[in-house]
Amino acid sequence: MLMSQIGFGVKFGNWRCYASSSSSSSSSSQSEVAVVEGGNGRISERQHIRLGLPSKGRMATDTTDLLKNCQLSVKQVNPRQYVAQIPELSNFEVWFQRPKDIVKKLGSGDLDLGIVGLDTFTEHGQGNEDLIIVHEALAYGDCRLSLAIPQYGIFENINSLEELAKMPQWTESKPLRVATGFTYLGPKFMKDNGLKHVTFSTADGALEAAPAMGIADAILDLVSSGTTLRENNLKEIEGGTVLESQAVLVASRKSLVQRKGVLDTTHEILERLEAHLRAIGQFTVTANMRGRSDKEVAERVVSHPSLCGLQGPTVSPVFGPDGEVKHYAIVICVPKKALYKSMKQLRAIGGSGVLVSPLTYIFDEETPRWRRLLSTLGM
């Protein structure tokens, strides 16, 4: 496992973060290298609106699946190409990038929109006020960034961040060693929680091995189920979760305000996402019911709270062959977990011919997140 140096030397008030690690090679001389990445954060004169998507892995697959379910299928002529289109959106390009590069290129103005994990956005956005979260809960990519320590040795009875901070072992000359890939969120989290003597290092390979190899005391990494931690004799501790993460839709403030068409396209994408996500796990239930009037039938239905639907039941007359109305059609929206209970209640109050079908979209009059975005932009 190769350890690489992280240059911190940053002091926050009375707190200092020390960075130390071993290296596979050394040099007696140092050279300064200037690196220029992407644009300069200004809006270029390009015409196409650009959306950055993850290029590999589960995150990439789940993202394109979500867009497909929103009728925004990504058309990629050649899987080796890094640019694609969404035919439903005019003047629009999809660029496949590493998640961290998506965030960086949003900041530099090379992308207008992106979908990444909240952990990646927060780590590489580093508080950049030009970067905006448009939708914070895309319902996949769930994980948490968490601190984990060994279950054995001096940590055996340590079960909280507070207890970890009070351990007398950590001094300026012998700080707590944390292996992580989150070199912005890690120091910030420790500083915010009063851990003064901490050193951070990055490692190539599985971080879970670092404590067992003696090259770190703890790790700060993404956790889903926690199985990998337990199998490596590591444990999470109370107060040690840095953030809960899932996929988010993000954008450049400058692009939304200054680039023609970006705000309107963002509105369309947001509406499609919201409509699809709101419909997940929802079903339309239709039944016929005898009654003297639509009002009488409606009163019978709303007497059961689980039959009220989103805003109340829809009640419509059913005309028989002779033109008379003896039945009324009831239409309600029911969540999956309440489906069977609702069907039984409908039958109990006279419902028959119950039909059930899954919902694909639920469009609101206006999405709350759109109003919030306009407010964030000062519009």
Side-chain angles (χ1 to χ4, degrees):
M1 180 177 293
L2 300 178
M3 304 299 291
S4 59
Q5 182 78 27
I6 303 174
F8 279 105
V10 178
K11 187 174 182 181
F12 301 90
N14 295 322
W15 179 90
R16 182 180 295 276
C17 174
Y18 302 92
S20 64
S21 63
S22 59
S23 175
S24 59
S25 63
S26 62
S27 173
S28 60
S29 64
Q30 294 181 340
S31 61
E32 295 184 358
V33 179
V35 179
V36 179
E37 295 186 7
N40 53 16
R42 294 180 296 182
I43 296 299
S44 65
E45 295 181 357
R46 60 178 167 83
Q47 298 301 313
H48 287 88
I49 299 167
R50 291 177 177 173
L51 168 69
L53 298 184
S55 57
K56 296 180 180 178
R58 178 69 179 272
M59 190 76 168
T61 302
D62 289 349
T63 300
T64 53
D65 285 347
L66 172 64
L67 292 172
K68 182 178 180 180
N69 290 332
C70 297
Q71 302 300 309
L72 293 174
S73 295
V74 178
K75 302 299 182 183
Q76 192 176 14
V77 177
N78 185 335
R80 293 181 179 273
Q81 292 180 333
Y82 285 92
V83 64
Q85 283 76 41
I86 296 179
E88 289 77 12
L89 300 175
S90 60
N91 200 36
F92 194 86
E93 293 177 341
V94 172
W95 285 79
F96 292 101
Q97 302 282 298
R98 293 185 303 176
K100 67 178 182 180
D101 291 337
I102 291 174
V103 180
K104 292 177 181 178
K105 289 176 181 178
L106 282 169
S108 66
D110 297 309
L111 292 173
D112 305 305
L113 301 163
I115 295 180
V116 295
L118 179 61
D119 58 289
T120 302
F121 176 79
T122 309
E123 169 69 17
H124 297 283
Q126 300 189 2
N128 185 344
E129 294 184 355
D130 184 55
L131 303 182
I132 297 175
I133 296 178
V134 178
H135 197 301
E136 77 288 351
L138 296 182
Y140 67 95
D142 296 74
C143 60
R144 58 190 177 275
L145 180 59
S146 191
L147 186 69
I149 60 176
Q151 299 175 357
Y152 49 84
I154 63 173
F155 299 101
E156 184 175 1
N157 297 316
I158 302 299
N159 297 300
S160 70
L161 187 65
E162 182 180 2
E163 292 172 349
L164 180 66
K166 291 180 179 179
M167 292 179 69
Q169 285 86 348
W170 320 131
T171 64
E172 185 171 343
S173 61
K174 189 180 179 181
L176 173 70
R177 299 169 301 161
V178 181
T180 186
F182 291 85
T183 56
Y184 169 75
L185 287 175
K188 184 177 185 299
F189 177 75
M190 293 299 190
K191 178 241 177 187
D192 291 345
N193 285 277
L195 278 79
K196 297 182 179 180
H197 306 300
V198 186
T199 182
F200 290 87
S201 60
T202 59
D204 294 328
L207 291 180
E208 291 84 2
M213 294 183 71
I215 55 180
D217 302 303
I219 68 171
L220 183 66
D221 202 8
L222 295 176
V223 180
S224 294
S225 65
T227 300
T228 303
L229 291 180
R230 291 189 293 271
E231 289 178 345
N232 286 276
N233 296 313
L234 299 173
K235 62 183 178 182
E236 295 178 84
I237 56 177
E238 181 183 348
T241 299
V242 178
L243 60 79
E244 298 284 346
S245 181
Q246 63 177 300
V248 294
L249 172 66
V250 295
S252 159
R253 181 191 299 267
K254 289 188 181 73
S255 291
L256 290 170
V257 174
Q258 300 177 23
R259 186 180 298 286
K260 181 180 179 181
V262 173
L263 189 60
D264 289 339
T265 299
T266 302
H267 188 195
E268 179 175 348
I269 294 173
L270 185 58
E271 281 206 310
R272 287 175 180 261
L273 288 171
E274 294 249 296
H276 168 68
L277 293 171
R278 191 179 180 197
I280 292 176
Q282 298 286 339
F283 289 79
T284 297
V285 177
T286 304
N288 288 336
M289 188 177 298
R290 282 185 174 272
R292 294 185 299 273
S293 67
D294 53 1
K295 182 178 181 180
E296 184 267 330
V297 170
E299 290 175 349
R300 208 187 314 167
V301 173
V302 298
S303 64
H304 298 271
S306 65
L307 300 180
C308 290
L310 295 176
Q311 297 174 324
T314 299
V315 181
S316 306
V318 177
F319 294 92
D322 56 0
E324 292 187 7
V325 176
K326 297 181 180 179
H327 291 82
Y328 291 85
I330 312 301
V331 181
I332 57 175
C333 180
V334 177
K336 184 177 182 179
K337 62 182 180 181
L339 189 57
Y340 187 68
K341 177 183 177 182
S342 299
M343 184 271 296
K344 288 178 64 177
Q345 289 180 335
L346 272 175
R347 290 194 300 191
I349 60 175
S352 62
V354 181
L355 304 177
V356 178
S357 57
L359 282 170
T360 305
Y361 306 104
I362 300 176
F363 285 96
D364 283 323
E365 183 177 351
E366 187 178 275
T367 63
R369 287 182 176 87
W370 173 245
R371 292 195 296 269
R372 185 185 67 191
L373 176 62
L374 293 180
S375 176
T376 300
L377 297 175
M379 296 183 176

